[in-house]
Amino acid sequence: MKPSISAGPNSGLLLVLMCCPLLGLVQSVSSNKASDKGHPHLGDADPERCMRHHFVETITHPIYKCNSKMVLLARCEGHCSHTTRSDPLISFSSVLKQPFKSTCSCCRPHTSKLKAVRLRCAGGTRITATYRYILACNCEECS
């Protein structure tokens, strides 16, 4: 299909989407923030809450000469509770190696799925690259 170029106000957007369809996907997915399940009790009022953020990455093989592919990835980013705590631990020994137990929460992947991308390499061989695609993020206890 050959793209038609018109002089209308949306022609730049049309050209970008025709050349790089993943950018349009990122824009449409990023604008749908209500579907992200960041941290339910924080609500949608906090734009910096723990949530999924999308970005486009180019996958190339580090050794073999293969065609690269652009893929849509996601990461967890944002704030969790600002409350951290350190409680003293009780011991019945004179040596206390770890005198406190600290509690804090971090923005982490809650659910994800395994995805694969096949790269076509020189000589007709194909190599598969795998990665985890994050579906939802949550504030969970840091380790």
Side-chain angles (χ1 to χ4, degrees):
M1 175 191 330
K2 192 172 187 178
S4 62
I5 299 176
S6 62
N10 295 331
S11 61
L13 179 62
L14 175 66
L15 186 58
V16 169
L17 293 177
M18 295 287 291
C19 294
C20 189
L22 280 179
L23 289 178
L25 183 58
V26 169
Q27 184 179 12
S28 67
V29 171
S30 295
S31 64
N32 191 9
K33 303 250 187 226
S35 66
D36 284 336
K37 294 183 175 50
H39 204 282
H41 74 269
L42 291 177
D44 291 337
D46 184 7
E48 295 183 3
R49 72 189 185 282
C50 175
M51 61 190 298
R52 183 176 63 168
H53 294 270
H54 293 91
F55 63 101
V56 176
E57 184 76 36
T58 302
I59 296 180
T60 57
H61 195 280
I63 300 170
Y64 301 113
K65 293 184 189 300
C66 303
N67 292 342
S68 58
K69 281 198 176 174
M70 289 176 60
V71 294
L72 180 68
L73 298 175
R75 70 173 154 253
C76 293
E77 188 176 345
H79 297 290
C80 293
S81 171
H82 295 291
T83 304
T84 58
R85 201 168 90 184
S86 291
D87 293 327
L89 292 177
I90 308 298
S91 174
F92 292 99
S93 168
S94 60
V95 178
L96 191 57
K97 294 178 183 173
Q98 189 83 22
F100 300 101
K101 180 183 189 285
S102 297
T103 306
C104 63
S105 60
C106 299
C107 186
R108 293 195 167 159
H110 180 65
T111 55
S112 65
K113 67 179 177 179
L114 188 65
K115 284 194 159 195
V117 173
R118 292 186 61 122
L119 303 178
R120 185 175 291 133
C121 304
T125 60
R126 293 178 183 252
I127 294 179
T128 302
T130 57
Y131 61 95
R132 300 293 305 184
Y133 179 77
I134 297 171
L135 299 171
C137 301
N138 253 348
C139 291
E140 297 176 4
E141 187 174 339
C142 301
S143 55

